[in-house]
Amino acid sequence: MKKFLMMLALAGVSMSGMAQTGETPAMKYSVATNSFWSNWFITADISGSSWYSNEEHADKAIRGDKSGLFESFRTNLGASVSIGKWFTPGLGLRTKVNGIWGRSVLTNDASKNAMKYWNAQEQVLFNLSNLFCGYNETRVWNLIPYVGVGIMRNCSLNEYGHGYSAGLMNTWRLSKHLAINLDLGFQLSDDDLDHVNGPALTQHDAYATSIPATDRYFTAEVGLTFNLGKSTWSKTPDVDAIKALSQSQIDALNAQLADEQAENARLKNLLANQPKAETKTVTVKEVVATPVSVFFNLGKSQIASRKDLQNVQELANAAKDKGCKIVVTGYADSKTGNANLNQRLSEKRAEAVKKELVKMGVSESNIETVAAGGVDTLRPISYNRRATVELK
């Protein structure tokens, strides 16, 4: 048991150092808030515990000349499970239960100290790696201190007490949904869990009254963390860049409309000055050739901003007046997702814009949709998450 606890402690130091030097740098970015059902996790650990009794301060006979952290009369194996949620990349909560086998530390004989117990804690987690270094979904190592309160029970003696905990959890990413974790913790009870009130203190009655009735133990746990459902955080949309692109397209469209209006005025003036005998009927069609873009958030097929549809409305009116067909082309950015996913996503984005055109009064038979899949034609890459609308 002593070797097991020492190996866990050494593993935590060595693996932390490896993770710091081996982590691949990645871009840090701000994240958008996820739904309540995202970023849940569960852990399952094997634990080793080392117990200290409050009576040890007063009665040396309890521990003899042995007071080391890894002495066999105070150590035992156990297990723990927890379930929790990250509310932000740096702040989370978890409910943790550990226990099964512990030590009362009444003597220096391990066989006489055995007890069964459980300890239920509600703990606040602080991911220092994300808080100080910025969120990085591919980070290998995360350093996560925690504090908590709860209830402890000595099942062998049916004794309850309030519990307090603090510790340091380390996680090493294996995949998007799986990580190895090493948890080093300290537990403190505000009551005498081993239920020794008098016999063990008879040799030091004068000192006994000054002993705080607190039992405590240290834990070293190793196991796995399973991330449930959506376990990452999406980048916040670059609203300013989207607005700038939309405004530039609006300006280009307005400039083209102004040129066409000037040409129409010239033609009308020319017709008005022609001799009546030479008068001919001339039909002038206004064709808006500049595509209009409608933007989407990462991985989404819902239109990000309804303001984009103002430009689409202009094209819809032109199509209805002139009997033109409209082509809607959906795109996804090729930097995220695989080809099949991007193909489906681009198709959904084109269909979403088509539905809006139908609402604007354009006949569905006059709308053609094209799914272009993932592309990398615009910079920044977020500009490729769009659908374009143009007259055919």
Side-chain angles (χ1 to χ4, degrees):
M1 183 59 194
K2 179 190 298 185
K3 292 181 178 180
F4 176 77
L5 290 171
M6 294 180 68
M7 288 174 63
L8 283 179
L10 291 173
V13 175
S14 60
M15 292 179 71
S16 298
M18 292 171 60
Q20 291 183 67
T21 57
E23 182 175 321
T24 302
M27 182 180 296
K28 299 178 289 186
Y29 54 81
S30 300
V31 300
T33 302
N34 284 342
S35 70
F36 176 80
W37 304 109
S38 301
N39 305 102
W40 286 84
F41 64 90
I42 59 174
T43 64
D45 296 335
I46 297 174
S47 67
S49 61
S50 182
W51 291 74
Y52 275 79
S53 172
N54 65 301
E55 287 81 24
E56 291 186 74
H57 294 289
D59 196 343
K60 189 176 180 180
I62 294 174
R63 58 179 174 81
D65 292 327
K66 298 179 178 180
S67 59
L69 181 62
F70 302 115
E71 296 296 340
S72 61
F73 67 85
R74 67 170 75 256
T75 59
N76 216 336
L77 284 173
S80 72
V81 293
S82 67
I83 181 169
K85 171 180 169 56
W86 290 102
F87 292 93
T88 72
L91 181 64
L93 290 175
R94 71 173 176 179
T95 301
K96 179 179 180 181
V97 179
N98 76 305
I100 305 180
W101 303 288
R103 297 295 187 192
S104 297
V105 201
L106 300 178
T107 71
N108 57 8
D109 185 345
S111 63
K112 296 180 181 180
N113 292 346
M115 73 166 181
K116 293 183 177 181
Y117 79 101
W118 56 258
N119 181 7
Q121 293 275 319
E122 189 67 25
Q123 296 172 334
V124 183
L125 311 176
F126 306 92
N127 189 322
L128 296 186
S129 300
N130 286 335
L131 286 172
F132 289 100
C133 301
Y135 173 67
N136 176 1
E137 67 179 46
T138 61
R139 178 176 287 117
V140 175
W141 174 58
N142 285 278
L143 181 65
I144 308 171
Y146 61 85
V147 292
V149 295
I151 298 175
M152 305 170 68
R153 183 185 181 219
N154 184 331
C155 301
S156 301
L157 299 174
N158 194 29
E159 181 72 16
Y160 287 88
H162 294 97
Y164 307 93
S165 62
L168 187 64
M169 182 169 68
N170 298 265
T171 64
W172 289 270
R173 182 180 185 272
L174 298 179
S175 69
K176 184 177 180 180
H177 293 286
L178 184 64
I180 296 174
N181 55 269
L182 174 66
D183 192 325
L184 305 175
F186 172 72
Q187 318 290 328
L188 177 68
S189 168
D190 66 355
D191 205 351
D192 193 6
L193 281 183
D194 58 21
H195 211 30
V196 176
N197 297 319
L201 303 178
T202 54
Q203 298 178 13
H204 303 275
D205 289 336
Y207 181 68
T209 56
S210 64
I211 303 171
T214 56
D215 293 324
R216 50 212 175 277
Y217 67 99
F218 300 88
T219 57
E221 306 176 23
V222 64
L224 296 174
T225 296
F226 304 90
N227 297 313
L228 307 177
K230 179 178 174 59
S231 59
T232 57
W233 301 82
S234 300
K235 184 178 179 180
T236 53
D238 191 345
V239 178
D240 292 337
I242 293 174
K243 287 181 177 180
L245 179 60
S246 298
Q247 187 60 49
S248 66
Q249 291 176 329
I250 292 172
D251 293 342
L253 184 59
N254 288 335
Q256 186 172 4
L257 288 174
D259 292 341
E260 291 173 352
Q261 289 170 354
E263 179 64 14
N264 287 339
R266 186 186 70 81
L267 292 174
K268 288 178 180 179
N269 184 62
L270 180 63
L271 289 173
N273 294 325
Q274 290 291 326
K276 292 184 178 179
E278 299 293 330
T279 301
K280 295 182 180 180
T281 302
V282 178
T283 302
V284 179
K285 291 187 177 180
E286 297 181 20
V287 179
V288 180
T290 302
V292 174
S293 294
V294 178
F295 293 92
F296 298 81
N297 289 327
L298 178 65
K300 303 296 184 181
S301 60
Q302 293 82 29
I303 296 172
S305 173
R306 303 295 297 182
K307 292 181 179 180
D308 292 351
L309 298 178
Q310 295 175 359
N311 300 328
V312 176
Q313 181 70 66
E314 295 294 333
L315 285 183
N317 293 339
K320 290 186 290 183
D321 292 342
K322 307 303 179 183
C324 300
K325 290 185 176 292
I326 293 180
V327 179
V328 181
T329 306
Y331 302 90
D333 74 84
S334 60
K335 294 297 184 180
T336 57
N338 55 46
N340 291 334
L341 177 63
N342 286 335
Q343 186 66 28
R344 293 195 299 271
L345 185 57
S346 66
E347 181 178 351
K348 290 180 179 179
R349 287 172 174 172
E351 288 296 328
V353 176
K354 178 180 178 181
K355 290 180 181 179
E356 295 297 331
L357 285 167
V358 172
K359 293 178 183 179
M360 295 173 184
V362 181
S363 174
E364 189 171 350
S365 62
N366 286 335
I367 305 173
E368 177 184 342
T369 60
V370 179
V375 298
D376 187 17
T377 55
L378 299 178
R379 289 292 184 276
I381 191 64
S382 61
Y383 287 2
N384 295 296
R385 302 166 194 151
R386 61 171 179 157
T388 60
V389 185
E390 58 184 323
L391 297 182
K392 186 173 182 180

